[in-house]
Amino acid sequence: MPPALKSLLTGLGDRVRSFTVAQRTLAVIGVAVLVLGSVALTSWLTKPSYTPLFTGLAATDASGVVNQLSADGVPYQLTDGGSTILVPQAQVYQERLKAASAGLPADNTGGYSLLDTMGVTSSEFQQNVTYKRAIEGELAKTIGALDGVKTASVQLAIPQETVFSDQKQDPTASVFVETTPGTTLSNEQVQAIVHLTSASIEGMKATDVSVVDSKGNVLSAVGTGATGTAGQQAGEYQTQTQSNVQAMLDKVLGAGNSTVVVAADVNQNSGTKVQESYTAPTGGAAPLSESSTKEQYAGGGAGAGNATGVLGPDNIAVPNGSATGSSTTGAGGYVNESATKDNAVDKTTESTTIPAGALTKQTVSVAINSKIASKLNLGNINDLVSKAAGIDTTRGDQVSVQMVDFNDSGSKAAAAALKAADAQAASDSMWSTIRTGLIAAGIGIPLIVALFLLTRRGRKQEREDIDLGEIASVATTWPGDPATKPLLLDDVEARRLLESSQPMTAPTAQLPQLGTEGATLERQRAEIDALAGADPDRTAELLRGLLDDRQTV
């Protein structure tokens, strides 16, 4: 082992052995924290970053992908109930290519790819069914790409074509959507699904699409559109109307001086109304068809006077008479005319679809605080409310505006509760800050003290032990008066220590007669011994400083 390393290890062992129990405990805790932190940091730095390989997988597809990853020895993680597979980021693209080459994930929705496998010998029924499946698959994939939609399924009901126009039926569609956890489709998203589906099928209307989610909620019903049930429509209408009227009154009367309640009656029945009307054309119109017939007969000659006449009713001859519907002449003839004319008539046919949720009647009730009644005109307030709510008197709508005394105990209690809550929040924030400071101080102060003690202990271990007998070799001259002694210790602290030790008398022992130089050295040694006996710690500190100064020189 190199001498330098051996000396370092020896010094470290000596320092550890010189620690007290408290210092050793703190040292052990510090080393444990350092080791654990290093291990955690190393584990976090070396942990691979996982990236989604596939999301929204079916159970069969997820099983196939997991089997492939296990065969390749690639670590993976499953999330979202097993529908999402995470792999290390460095292996995402490689595993995707392998999964694609293995046909994973399988496309179960079909789409227009179904038409590629259809043979030329397919019957008309097979062609129609395959085409319908292809459209359903394409719509399902498109709807599944919307934000918040996990999976989607589309079922189309397309009636067979017929030559009879009065028996023609409109196609309908049913859409099932499964949303991601914690997500609810908005009305705009439902409208997008409805219009996307209806625009993809010829002859389909937006009201012919039904949308249902995985929780069984009907988001769009056939005949009503994507507006929910009649109860939901009534609630939305009441909320919207109440909000509009209340916002207007708050600006006019001030916040808290009025309250509004709207009750709407919504028709929950739906149907179709067909009405035909006929009107005569104005200014005359050309006839569609017209026919005219005229017959004329006239008798003549000498035999005219012997005519017995024409046959009358019951084949009885009527002398000198004429038959009904004919005119005769004096000579025994007749004339018959008939005309037929068909004139055009205007015909109007109206077909109206009545959806559920149509407003049939509404009632608006407004209560105003009587404390501000002297400044108001109820007629003006009534007109404002009627205009804001869209009141139709012919429909039976009603508006009621009344001055009443408001009970402000609730508002006072709410204000007091709000004030108490603010005070409690401020107190909690203050105590939280104090608690955090105490925790920080409780952790930081012991660490600072431990570091200070360890540093001080290390400085003490680095200092050398000083033999007081070495003073004779250091102090070369010492005059009689300690105050004027020119020692190498030139600081104020050394002089103060020497002055504090002056009242003490050195031991008076009988010494042998020495020379002048020897007597001076003995006297100096005796005085230093007396000083060391009076304050040994400070004397040692001064001597260490003296040796340090000598070493630097």
Side-chain angles (χ1 to χ4, degrees), residues 104-173:
L104 295 174
D107 190 0
N108 297 324
T109 57
Y112 287 120
S113 60
L114 295 175
L115 300 177
D116 299 334
T117 59
M118 188 172 56
V120 295
T121 59
S122 300
S123 63
E124 183 180 359
F125 174 76
Q126 290 176 335
Q127 293 177 1
N128 294 335
V129 172
T130 304
Y131 178 71
K132 188 170 73 71
R133 288 179 57 196
I135 296 178
E136 292 173 350
E138 292 295 329
L139 287 175
K141 288 191 292 186
T142 306
I143 296 173
L146 294 177
D147 187 17
V149 179
K150 184 178 181 181
T151 58
S153 176
V154 180
Q155 301 293 330
L156 299 177
I158 302 177
Q160 295 182 354
E161 296 182 358
T162 177
V163 296
F164 302 100
S165 59
D166 57 346
Q167 297 180 0
K168 186 177 181 180
Q169 298 179 357
D170 295 333
T172 58

Side-chain angles (χ1 to χ4, degrees), residues 319-331:
N320 299 327
S322 61
T324 303
S326 62
S327 59
T328 61
T329 61

